[in-house]
Amino acid sequence: MVVGRLLLLLLVTISTRYVAAQRVGEPLSVWQKGQLDIHHISTGQGNAALLILPDGTSLLIDAGAIDPVDWRTGKPRDIPTRPDTMRQAGEWIARYARNALRFRADPAIDYVLLTHFHDDHMGTPRHGIKRAAGGYVLSGITEVAEYISVHRVLDRGWPDYSYPQSMEADSIVANYRHFLSWQQKHNGLTVERFQAGRTDQIVSKYNSTCPVKIRNLMVNGECWTGKGTQTKHLFPDLTGLPLLQRPNENMCSAVLSIHYGDFTYFSGGDIPGVLSFGTPEWHDMETPLAAITGPIDVKLVDHHGYRDAENSVLLTALKPRVLVIPAWSTSHPAPEVLERMLSTMTYDGKRDVFTTNLLQEAKTLNKQWLAQLKSQSGHVVIRVEPGGKRYRVFVLDDTQEIAPIKAIYGFYKAKSKR
Ligand SMILES: [Zn+2]
């Protein structure tokens, strides 16, 4: 009898392990209750991260679709969309999300957070090819919502879009506002302004006791102080400031951290931390965050690893074990940034760096570091186990919609309770 029970226990253990096992070449298994999934979706067209909280709540951070024309050179960009060019990035993001959320009877995105108002984070009407029934151009977030329901949007500008200056003349924001008002009227979308310091704007919708906490750290130059919900403003009085010194769009990015058990994830949009000459010190948005954020596990690399991001003060404070670079341009990442991320001069211990993409020019520039990268293309998925004690990283093939697993890393042990 006892032997029989032991045998049964053994069989159950083996079969559970078998179900949970994931192999290279297979599609990623569907999210299970208690897991925290973070899918860095690679379309080649900018940032898009789909998070599935342990209770099943879904959060999409950004939905990029870069301008088809390079604003600096006026020339068309030659960056093909992945998996293929038959669809635009927004539709691919939606299709990826529907598949990842297939455990829900009606897959939907509960929250969208747009970190800031740039094409590689939200799309641009310059795509101009497809329009919604509401008349707005479908690109980035406006296109995502065409293929999967979106319930609530948080951004840095609602409702007047006037900080740090009026965005009336910005065609990206105008198209997006058109989208918001149509979706509010016809599909019950709600919109809110993301506010620093709060932990109650993005919450577990399906189980309020779920032990996950999302802290809004910074937006529009407003930074959490580390105490309660208190914030301080980092920008000076803007009246009379020379044009070049005014806070730019990247500096206004929404920044947040996600805590689950011993695990912490950090997402900083396109905040800069390395000053270009002539700019005042308050243009460094990373150093103030270093003071209020302890060691973390996984970091989405700021500003795609561009040369003005990931300063050593922030890296030393956060000590990320895993770094994910959402790259789409020849300047992503800059060699000096990759060097800082890989160097033990910034912090001791191991770290694994993944990129969702790497253009040929970036490969040439970063030649000496390439062998140390864990991935050079693909969706990068962080899967945190129930309870938040350990996690793995899956790299998925972004050239096929079924996205078979290319590589598996971990388990990594999450750092510690904070
Ligand atoms: Zn960007």
Side-chain angles (χ1 to χ4, degrees), residues 46-47 62 115-116 118-121 250 269-270 303-304 326 328 332:
N47 284 30
D62 289 334
T115 59
H116 63 297
H118 275 163
D119 53 348
D120 58 325
H121 297 259
N250 290 342
D270 280 1
H303 199 194
H304 321 279
W328 58 265
H332 304 160

Side-chain angles (χ1 to χ4, degrees), residues 14-25:
I14 289 169
S15 64
T16 316
R17 290 225 166 148
Y18 181 75
V19 169
Q22 286 273 260
R23 290 188 185 84
V24 169

Side-chain angles (χ1 to χ4, degrees), residues 152-214:
R152 175 165 297 186
V153 172
L154 291 107
D155 68 28
R156 70 167 200 84
W158 172 264
D160 53 340
Y161 299 87
S162 62
Y163 188 84
Q165 60 263 321
S166 165
M167 289 172 241
E168 286 295 323
D170 186 321
S171 62
I172 292 181
V173 174
N175 187 60
Y176 165 67
R177 291 180 74 176
H178 185 170
F179 152 80
L180 289 182
S181 53
W182 196 88
Q183 289 284 345
Q184 281 179 301
K185 204 166 158 191
H186 298 274
N187 290 332
L189 176 80
T190 56
V191 194
E192 250 183 67
R193 182 186 283 217
F194 182 87
Q195 291 176 313
R198 290 177 62 174
T199 53
D200 61 349
Q201 280 195 295
I202 304 169
V203 295
S204 301
K205 274 183 73 174
Y206 306 104
N207 180 359
S208 57
T209 62
C210 173
V212 70
K213 186 171 75 181
I214 300 185

Side-chain angles (χ1 to χ4, degrees), residues 394-414:
F394 296 86
V395 181
L396 313 184
D397 185 351
D398 61 8
T399 64
Q400 302 178 57
E401 190 172 15
I402 55 159
I405 298 169
K406 292 207 294 186
I408 306 171
Y409 294 89
F411 288 94
Y412 300 88
K413 192 175 178 298

